[in-house]
Amino acid sequence: MKQNNPNMKKVVRTVYLHFPHLIPIVGIFACVLFIAAIVNYYMLREQVMSDGSASISQLERYIDTIADNLQVLELKVGEDCSAQDRLDLKSEVFNSELMKEVGLYNNGVVYCTSNEGQTKIRLFSSTLQRIQASENNITVTLRESKSRLQTIFIYVARDQRHGINALLPPQQFLDLVSPAFDKRMYRYQIKVMDQVIQSNFAETKIDRGESYHFSSNLYPFTISIFLSLDAYKQQYLAYLDKVILIALVLSLIYVLLRYQTLARLSIEYALLTAIKEEQIELYLQPIVDIRSRKLVGSEALVRWNHPVQGKMSPEQFIPLAEKLGAIDKITKYIFKEITRFLENNPAYLNENYISINISLHQIVETEFVRYLERYKEQYPDHVSRILLELTENVELTSEQLSIALANLKAIQDLGFDIAIDDFGTGYSGLNLVRMMKFNVVKIDQVFIKSLHTDSNIKPVLKSMIQLANDLEMKVIAEGVETESQIEQLQLLGVKYIQGFYYAKPIKPEELATFHQMTNEALDLSQPIPRWKS
Ligand code: C2E
Ligand code: CA
Ligand code: CA
């Protein structure tokens, strides 16, 4: 018991937590069950209509069949009630499932029956009138014997005087239709000549429901059916499995649609759509030569405006794109956009470069090298103007590392420059730098930020710069925000600066204007123009 309690609590808690998600499904079930109840109500009424008329036709057909047989028999036997005649009558009764007795009449008197032979039983005058009045010379009557047993008589007239009749116990006759009614739990009543011969509701009160009446046009019998709650229940339960199946299918459709909507709202989905529909934007951040006070290049940085979450940092969505295998598409999009920029700004192309961030995953794929080969074929003039920035933010297996090194070499052979990005952070830096010759080193902004707070950082920066000089790599300091940082970096021998001090990442057309501004600022005693966005 003690062990059950925590489990019980867990179950209750799980149900409680998931209940809001279950509400729509509960709603679907409730709706389907309710609609099914309404459909059931109308369907049962239709069913009663068809069952009622079908039963009337069935009973009529049965009487007609008996009448046909009686007609044949009446023509076969003579009029003197001979032994052969009685035998013929008896064998007809013997072969019939329902008839108990057959009699021949003449001039209003039954003179010969299968059971008693010669008789002199007078027919009721009402019966004779009804035979005469009938359209097809056939009629049905109901008589009650002294022992109150009811009997149905079928009369078939040959002419005005002669005819044949048969006697049937009502129960068996009515059993032709009652099992089907009982199965549907109908309350019903069957009357012959206005006398009830079968009823299953007389004792019980008729439920407040509707009653349906059916009568034969040929013979004097009627059927009334009353729909009780039991009948509705019975039919409802008969279809319940199908109703539940429909509710389950609808719930499944709902869950799938909901899942799809959620997926649509997810960042992954939105990012893939944004990439496909080129909703991401290219920004360029200037890189400046401190001494010549000229723009030397810019770094391509992507921006994405998420439809719900607003502007998202590439630091969030670039790793996601890498995970989704979509980084290649972003890179190719950047290539396309910078190509357009370079084509539109030949002045920029002549003097400056553009750097593009490349994921290390892409370097392990030879597909990227093939892409650059094709790019070179198409835009040979751009190649020397493109710097590819690489961050060592993933660990590679030795096999991947050798592929990466071979690819980097191939890329350099094509004429592209390669920079090591975020130099000095994490595992970034020394490994790859030792293994191949990079063209540029980008010192990470954490070092620049701590320049004036941390006195130990200067020697570190110094040795990084020394290493770069030894390996003949250009140095770019990133994240420069203040004049004092520029001064200190200049003293350390850094030539190239990228940072908010000069400009934040800006739109390509703004960069073209910034380029023009720096070109026009010829007075070297004045500070380098800053872009205020
Ligand atoms: P990163 O390559 O190190 O880019 C420099 C980041 O520093 C940029 O952030 C830039 O806006 C920011 N920054 C530049 N100057 C300053 C400054 O003075 N102060 C401060 N606080 N920040 C400064 P951003 O644009 O948010 O990009 C973040 C990172 O996302 C990038 O770091 C890069 O790793 C990645 N990324 C951006 N665009 C791309 C792309 O097109 N492809 C790939 N693979 N990665 C990209
Ligand atoms: Ca970068
Ligand atoms: Ca960087």
Side-chain angles (χ1 to χ4, degrees):
M1 198 55 193
K2 263 182 192 165
Q3 263 184 346
N4 271 348
N5 259 344
N7 283 344
M8 217 26 222
K9 267 188 190 164
K10 216 167 144 185
V11 170
V12 171
R13 204 178 137 69
T14 311
V15 170
Y16 176 75
L17 284 177
H18 286 85
F19 190 69
H21 306 294
L22 292 177
I23 288 174
I25 295 189
V26 172
I28 288 173
F29 268 82
C31 282
V32 171
L33 291 174
F34 178 68
I35 293 169
I38 295 174
V39 172
N40 181 57
Y41 176 75
Y42 287 103
M43 263 175 60
L44 192 59
R45 286 155 61 117
E46 288 291 308
Q47 188 67 51
V48 166
M49 297 305 283
S50 87
D51 283 351
S53 2
S55 302
I56 293 280
S57 312
Q58 201 179 354
L59 294 180
E60 281 176 351
R61 263 201 314 277
Y62 201 80
I63 292 170
D64 290 346
T65 314
I66 291 179
D68 285 349
N69 291 344
L70 290 175
Q71 229 158 15
V72 173
L73 181 67
E74 206 273 336
L75 288 174
K76 206 167 91 181
V77 294
E79 287 182 20
D80 45 5
C81 199
S82 65
Q84 182 57 44
D85 291 343
R86 283 158 61 186
L87 204 64
D88 284 345
L89 295 181
K90 266 195 161 90
S91 70
E92 182 73 19
V93 171
F94 183 75
N95 289 325
S96 161
E97 279 178 25
L98 297 184
M99 284 190 283
K100 289 289 168 253
E101 194 174 358
V102 180
L104 297 165
Y105 71 86
N106 183 4
N107 212 10
V109 175
V110 178
Y111 64 89
C112 186
T113 71
S114 54
N115 289 4
E116 293 170 43
Q118 286 200 343
T119 52
K120 263 194 175 167
I121 307 163
R122 284 217 141 266
L123 292 180
F124 287 103
S125 57
S126 60
T127 306
L128 288 170
Q129 277 164 12
R130 296 188 51 230
I131 297 173
Q132 272 171 9
S134 82
E135 280 174 28
N136 55 356
N137 293 333
I138 303 168
T139 198
V140 177
T141 64
L142 183 81
R143 294 279 170 247
E144 213 166 83
S145 68
K146 284 188 193 101
S147 55
R148 300 197 64 78
L149 274 176
Q150 289 175 319
T151 310
I152 292 176
F153 288 90
I154 297 176
Y155 294 89
V156 183
R158 172 162 41 109
D159 53 33
Q160 293 284 33
R161 289 162 61 107
H162 300 93
I164 184 165
N165 70 354
L167 180 157
L168 339 163
Q171 189 55 49
Q172 279 152 295
F173 173 64
L174 295 170
D175 275 352
L176 292 169
V177 293
S178 48
F181 287 181
D182 290 337
K183 207 174 131 202
R184 293 201 194 280
M185 295 192 114
Y186 292 160
R187 303 264 169 94
Y188 59 95
Q189 196 174 63
I190 302 171
K191 286 182 181 171
V192 175
M193 294 177 72
D194 287 336
Q195 284 190 59
V196 175
I197 56 166
Q198 183 145 344
S199 168
N200 70 348
F201 71 83
E203 307 83 28
T204 48
K205 277 191 179 167
I206 303 166
D207 289 347
R208 259 187 299 141
E210 301 193 25
S211 52
Y212 299 84
H213 304 283
F214 307 89
S215 47
S216 165
N217 292 329
L218 294 173
Y219 309 115
F221 64 83
T222 57
I223 297 176
S224 301
I225 301 176
F226 301 91
L227 282 181
S228 66
L229 202 61
D230 288 343
Y232 286 111
K233 263 198 260 170
Q234 157 82 10
Q235 164 139 320
Y236 194 76
L237 291 177
Y239 287 108
L240 196 61
D241 52 348
K242 289 183 189 74
V243 171
I244 288 176
L245 192 70
I246 291 173
L248 280 175
V249 169
L250 289 179
S251 302
L252 194 71
I253 292 173
Y254 164 79
V255 169
L256 288 178
L257 286 179
R258 186 169 159 74
Y259 181 78
Q260 220 175 29
T261 320
L262 284 180
R264 233 175 255 277
L265 290 175
S266 75
I267 291 186
E268 283 91 339
Y269 185 88
L271 179 60
L272 292 175
T273 312
I275 295 169
K276 202 165 101 199
E277 294 174 6
E278 301 193 345
Q279 287 164 5
I280 45 177
E281 279 181 282
L282 168 71
Y283 275 68
L284 295 170
Q285 187 178 27
I287 296 161
V288 175
D289 180 333
I290 322 177
R291 277 177 296 179
S292 73
R293 296 164 184 251
K294 291 259 154 53
L295 186 76
V296 287
S298 59
E299 177 175 5
L301 293 160
V302 278
R303 294 289 175 264
W304 177 41
N305 212 348
H306 184 271
V308 179
Q309 314 222 348
K311 280 206 188 315
M312 270 182 80
S313 156
E315 259 154 0
Q316 277 175 280
F317 72 82
I318 291 290
L320 189 64
E322 283 175 351
K323 205 176 90 193
L324 296 172
I327 191 68
D328 231 31
K329 291 205 176 76
I330 293 187
T331 308
K332 284 177 186 166
Y333 170 75
I334 296 287
F335 263 91
K336 196 177 106 189
E337 289 297 292
I338 62 139
T339 304
R340 196 159 60 146
F341 173 73
L342 293 176
E343 301 270 279
N344 291 340
N345 296 279
Y348 181 95
L349 180 66
N350 289 338
E351 301 167 14
N352 308 289
Y353 65 88
I354 288 197
S355 65
I356 299 175
N357 290 287
I358 304 296
S359 161
L360 202 52
H361 296 285
Q362 294 172 283
I363 298 298
V364 183
E365 303 289 324
T366 36
E367 195 321 281
F368 185 59
V369 185
R370 302 284 94 81
Y371 174 79
L372 293 178
E373 281 169 1
R374 292 197 297 275
Y375 187 85
K376 183 180 175 172
E377 274 170 31
Q378 239 183 322
Y379 307 103
D381 297 346
H382 295 187
V383 174
S384 62
R385 295 290 173 213
I386 292 175
L387 172 71
L388 303 175
E389 294 188 14
L390 202 64
T391 313
E392 257 189 296
N393 52 2
V394 272
E395 255 181 310
L396 301 180
T397 63
S398 58
E399 197 186 338
Q400 286 173 323
L401 187 67
S402 56
I403 299 172
L405 288 170
N407 285 344
L408 287 171
K409 173 89 176 51
I411 291 168
Q412 277 179 328
D413 288 348
L414 286 171
F416 294 92
D417 278 351
I418 300 178
I420 186 94
D421 201 358
D422 302 340
F423 190 62
T425 63
Y427 14 29
S428 172
L430 287 167
N431 274 345
L432 277 178
V433 163
R434 273 206 311 256
M435 287 177 207
M436 65 164 278
K437 187 179 178 315
F438 284 89
N439 308 90
V440 175
V441 151
K442 294 190 82 174
I443 297 178
D444 193 74
Q445 42 183 294
V446 290
F447 298 99
I448 316 301
K449 293 266 158 359
S450 31
L451 251 181
H452 70 284
T453 51
D454 186 352
S455 57
N456 293 328
I457 213 78
K458 254 190 203 157
V460 178
L461 266 179
K462 248 188 199 162
S463 55
M464 279 162 76
I465 293 161
Q466 187 57 50
L467 179 72
N469 288 338
D470 291 349
L471 297 172
E472 295 174 330
M473 300 187 287
K474 281 185 193 154
V475 176
I476 300 173
E478 279 192 295
V480 179
E481 293 182 355
T482 65
E483 217 160 335
S484 96
Q485 285 170 342
I486 296 179
E487 281 160 15
Q488 292 184 69
L489 287 167
Q490 207 166 3
L491 287 175
L492 287 168
V494 175
K495 253 175 93 180
Y496 304 107
I497 299 285
Q498 179 183 350
F500 291 177
Y501 178 78
Y502 292 120
K504 285 190 173 175
I506 51 180
K507 297 237 175 186
E509 55 274 24
E510 292 176 317
L511 184 85
T513 314
F514 184 76
H515 177 222
Q516 222 175 336
M517 266 167 63
T518 57
N519 273 353
E520 285 162 7
L522 298 172
D523 186 351
L524 291 185
S525 63
Q526 293 297 310
I528 300 168
R530 298 168 65 181
W531 184 269
K532 292 188 188 65
S533 41

